[in-house]
Amino acid sequence: MPTIEPLTLTLSELAERWQMLPQEVLDSPHALPMYFYFDGLVFDFNDKWHRANGDVSVVQTLEAHKTRQSTLEIDLQRQTMHKRGLLKLTQWEEAMSDEEMQSQQAESDRLTEEIARLAELLKKRDEERQRCVRNGLLRAAPRSLNEIAERGQTRFPQFAYMPHTPNRAAGDTASIAEGAVVALEDGFPLKEYLTGADLVVAMQDVRAAEDSARS
């Protein structure tokens, strides 16, 4: 029965295969792309809207609109009651004309629509964020690999590269372009460090390197 070749080798397995130390594999000028497993949210680096805190300005605008609308509604209620003789205004309040009240009501109506629009926009963002889950390999950045080679570990990266998918079916387009820099969030389980033990290499890259060395 033919041996089934693995899709990946760990860094240690590759070092043993090539009769090198793991650090020598990482330091090699012809080092192969290294990957690590990630289970969490992955976003295109340029996608500022869906990444962490990308909604800050919208949230601030929404809260400001809510505060302003609340103030307008209270003023309109007091002015209406005053016109009906049901309330006496304080010394800090002035009676509004009908035109002024209509203007405030129009502003309040506009804010009501804008508050609903922004709330729906934020809800949609949350839903879209949850569709950006990745459970699989990401390509480690050179900086991460250099630190692992020097120190044996590196802080678990916030950024990596989206790997290329071999034999992708025609018409199968990825939401994030292959090779793009990606931002990592909410990984599970939480890992503080990335080490050499977390790294793997694609077997097809190993075969290609070995074939190239023989030719």
Side-chain angles (χ1 to χ4, degrees):
M1 178 179 291
T3 302
I4 299 177
E5 191 172 74
L7 294 177
T8 61
L9 292 177
T10 66
L11 175 59
S12 296
E13 289 171 336
L14 178 61
E16 182 179 356
R17 181 185 179 103
W18 286 356
Q19 298 182 337
M20 300 169 68
L21 294 174
Q23 183 176 348
E24 291 176 324
V25 175
L26 291 174
D27 286 337
S28 169
H30 305 295
L32 300 179
M34 294 283 171
Y35 303 88
F36 63 94
Y37 172 77
F38 182 72
D39 182 6
L41 302 179
V42 173
F43 304 95
D44 189 295
F45 178 80
N46 296 312
D47 184 0
K48 307 298 185 184
W49 169 239
H50 290 102
R51 285 174 53 187
N53 302 318
D55 60 343
V56 169
S57 63
V58 175
V59 170
Q60 291 175 341
T61 300
L62 178 60
E63 293 306 313
H65 284 353
K66 287 181 177 179
T67 299
R68 174 59 178 165
Q69 188 200 40
S70 177
T71 299
L72 289 172
E73 288 298 316
I74 291 173
D75 286 348
L76 286 168
Q77 289 175 9
R78 292 181 62 80
Q79 291 288 338
T80 299
M81 293 178 70
H82 172 69
K83 284 185 176 296
R84 295 175 179 174
L86 302 175
L87 177 73
K88 183 178 181 180
L89 298 176
T90 67
Q91 59 181 321
W92 297 282
E93 295 175 295
E94 293 184 1
M96 292 184 184
S97 66
D98 290 342
E99 290 76 13
E100 288 173 328
M101 290 183 65
Q102 289 172 0
S103 176
Q104 282 212 2
Q105 185 62 60
E107 182 181 357
S108 178
D109 293 343
R110 180 184 62 79
L111 288 174
T112 297
E113 294 180 359
E114 188 64 6
I115 288 170
R117 185 186 72 81
L118 294 179
E120 181 61 27
L121 187 65
L122 292 172
K123 178 183 177 183
K124 184 177 180 182
R125 174 185 181 272
D126 287 341
E127 294 171 350
E128 290 171 347
R129 273 177 58 84
Q130 296 312 309
R131 291 199 289 270
C132 294
V133 172
R134 180 173 179 82
N135 187 323
L137 297 177
L138 293 172
R139 182 177 174 179
R143 178 177 178 179
S144 297
L145 297 178
N146 290 339
E147 291 186 359
I148 292 175
E150 293 174 3
R151 308 170 193 169
Q153 64 182 22
T154 184
R155 285 280 183 183
F156 199 87
Q158 294 179 304
F159 305 99
Y161 294 98
M162 183 62 71
H164 292 272
T165 302
N167 304 318
R168 179 182 292 278
D172 181 11
T173 57
S175 58
I176 300 178
E178 295 179 345
V181 179
V182 291
L184 284 53
E185 295 179 23
D186 300 340
F188 180 83
L190 295 176
K191 286 176 64 70
E192 187 174 1
Y193 294 100
L194 190 72
T195 70
D198 297 306
L199 299 177
V200 300
V201 62
M203 194 65 194
Q204 66 174 12
D205 291 339
V206 174
R207 286 295 189 195
E210 292 173 346
D211 293 343
S212 176
R214 285 194 292 266
S215 61

